[in-house]
Amino acid sequence: MSLALDEARQAFLAGETPVGALAVRGNEIIARGGNLKEQKRLAFSHAELEVMTQASRVVGDWRLSEVTVYVTLEPCIMCAGAMLQARLKRLVYGCADPKAGAIESLYSLAEDSRLNHQISVRSGVLASQSRKMLQQFFQLLRMRDKLSKKG
């Protein structure tokens, strides 16, 4: 998870919401990255989707049934849905997302027995570090917005 936090820091420095992710197969990191929504100007360029796209290329298949994704923030509905569609083996995430989290906060998509696939989940890994970085980022955005309204 500390490597995912490194990816989140890079996203922060690039002006992106600081979410970082890794895809691991066995003991090998096969993909890494962060949010690219602002850079790509695409709503679906979340860290998880960017990393799963890279991982699929490495694996040579859309099925990621032997892959674990580590991400600093609880995935949203879109990312959780993509993880289910990709048959992801395991998800490890940092802090909860009470406004958009689809794994435990608002929904429990990863473990919904009505769906044809479930994902093993571990949450809260380095949660305070992940949360702190997000809070700092949004605090800076609010300050920037205040300053731009004054000027």
Side-chain angles (χ1 to χ4, degrees), residues 95-107:
C95 65
D97 185 348
K99 293 184 179 182
I103 303 301
E104 295 174 314
S105 293
L106 299 178
Y107 306 97

Side-chain angles (χ1 to χ4, degrees), residues 21-51:
L22 301 174
V24 176
R25 182 176 58 176
N27 291 323
E28 178 187 6
I29 296 170
I30 60 171
R32 60 190 317 150
N35 272 357
L36 295 174
K37 281 175 61 173
E38 300 301 328
Q39 180 182 330
K40 289 188 171 184
R41 300 191 186 284
L42 294 171
F44 45 83
S45 286
H46 290 197
E48 303 95 306
L49 297 183
E50 293 291 327
V51 163

Side-chain angles (χ1 to χ4, degrees), residues 41-104:
R41 300 191 186 284
L42 294 171
F44 45 83
S45 286
H46 290 197
E48 303 95 306
L49 297 183
E50 293 291 327
V51 163
M52 289 192 308
T53 299
Q54 291 174 38
S56 289
R57 288 187 185 120
V58 170
V59 170
D61 196 357
W62 60 267
R63 292 173 193 86
L64 299 177
S65 57
E66 296 303 316
V67 174
T68 298
V69 167
Y70 294 82
V71 63
T72 57
L73 179 65
E74 178 182 6
C76 68
I77 294 170
M78 175 179 65
C79 294
M83 290 173 176
L84 289 161
Q85 290 296 314
R87 309 297 191 267
L88 191 71
K89 178 180 183 177
R90 186 168 181 243
L91 167 67
V92 178
Y93 72 88
C95 65
D97 185 348
K99 293 184 179 182
I103 303 301
E104 295 174 314

